[in-house]
């Protein structure tokens, strides 16, 4: 774990199992690392990426969390990413054109521990090239992506993702809700 944290703090990228599928990640506060992830995925820089947080406190330090978002988080049985209207302290490179950001409060032990030790939110984007099918297991990830990453996590390599993706719901400050992906 310490090695992964050091790589992330030095601006590196990782390939890691999340509470959904394998993801490409980096320190969400490091602009150079964020740009590396865009390059690895061959993703347009105007497309936002989601981030993972480990605690309610970290979530509240990044965005204003409407009451409806708390209710959705509490009621959700599967991983859920909520799109918030505007970020307080995140790099603009992560944000959508309207300033919104998708954030998932993770329940996965590995992810929570990693984010806690890093002391920063973690970028999480599927481990595939932009526009291609998301990998449901480690062996689905292309060799080209694997070779571009600074560190590949050891665990969960033989497992198939329990959740192929998170639900995505946008919640406005006035508690309006829009389901983007169920």
């Amino acid at each position: 774990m310490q090695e992964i944290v050091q790589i992330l703090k030095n601006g590196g990228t990782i390939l890691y199992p999340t509470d959904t599928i394998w993801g490409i990640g980096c320190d969400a506060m490091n602009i150079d690392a964020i740009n590396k992830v865009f390059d690895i995925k061959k993703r347009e820089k105007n497309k936002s990426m989601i981030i993972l947080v480990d605690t309610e406190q970290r979530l509240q330090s990044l965005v204003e969390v409407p009451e409806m978002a708390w209710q959705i988080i509490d009621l959700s049985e599967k991983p859920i990413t909520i799109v918030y209207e505007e970020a307080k302290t995140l790099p603009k490179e992560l944000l959508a054109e309207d300033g919104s950001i998708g954030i998932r409060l993770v329940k996965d032990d590995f992810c929570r521990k990693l984010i806690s030790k890093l002391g920063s939110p973690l970028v999480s984007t599927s481990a595939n090239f932009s526009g291609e099918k998301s990998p449901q297991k480690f062996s689905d990830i292309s060799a080209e992506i694997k070779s571009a990453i600074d560190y590949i996590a050891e665990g969960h390599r033989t497992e198939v993702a329990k959740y192929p993706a998170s639900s995505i719901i946008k919640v406005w400050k006035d508690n309006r809700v829009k389901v983007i992906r169920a």
Side-chain angles (χ1 to χ4, degrees):
M1 183 65 69
Q2 208 47 43
E3 180 182 2
I4 302 172
V5 169
Q6 201 53 52
I7 287 167
L8 290 167
K9 286 186 176 190
N10 291 335
T13 56
I14 63 170
L15 192 56
Y16 68 109
T18 72
D19 50 350
T20 57
I21 58 174
W22 277 78
I24 299 172
C26 69
D27 179 345
M29 297 303 198
N30 186 315
I31 295 168
D32 291 336
I34 293 165
N35 285 324
K36 275 171 74 174
V37 172
F38 275 110
D39 291 343
I40 291 167
K41 281 191 64 85
K42 300 177 182 175
R43 185 179 177 117
E44 295 174 33
K45 296 218 163 111
N46 65 344
K47 291 188 173 183
S48 62
M49 288 191 278
I50 72 161
I51 60 171
L52 305 180
V53 296
D54 57 336
T55 64
E56 293 175 358
Q57 293 79 10
R58 194 174 314 277
L59 175 61
Q60 289 174 302
S61 73
L62 301 172
V63 292
E64 183 180 320
V65 184
E67 182 56 37
M68 182 60 69
W70 289 123
Q71 291 177 28
I72 292 168
I73 291 168
D74 289 343
L75 294 173
S76 180
E77 293 180 15
K78 72 179 254 188
I80 186 152
T81 300
I82 297 184
V83 178
Y84 299 91
E85 280 189 84
E86 56 193 46
K88 296 177 187 175
T89 58
L90 291 166
K92 67 177 178 11
E93 287 78 3
L94 284 176
L95 308 180
E97 290 178 353
D98 66 358
S100 64
I101 181 72
I103 304 176
R104 188 161 71 241
L105 179 60
V106 292
K107 296 175 183 167
D108 177 79
D109 290 336
F110 173 79
C111 289
R112 287 173 60 147
K113 186 175 179 183
L114 179 57
I115 296 163
S116 176
K117 291 198 175 292
L118 178 62
S120 179
L122 199 58
V123 165
S124 181
T125 183
S126 56
N128 60 301
F129 295 115
S130 191
E132 292 184 358
K133 187 177 179 219
S134 298
Q136 297 304 302
K137 57 189 181 301
F138 181 77
S139 60
D140 293 341
I141 302 168
S142 82
E144 186 179 345
I145 285 182
K146 290 175 184 173
S147 68
I149 299 293
D150 297 308
Y151 182 89
I152 300 175
E154 296 293 324
H156 305 284
R157 290 192 180 188
T158 59
E159 297 171 20
V160 175
K162 181 177 179 184
Y163 300 102
S166 68
S167 296
I168 301 176
I169 298 176
K170 183 163 186 173
V171 180
W172 283 266
K173 290 178 187 173
D174 63 6
N175 290 314
R176 285 180 294 133
V177 173
K178 178 181 179 183
V179 177
I180 297 170
R181 181 174 69 203

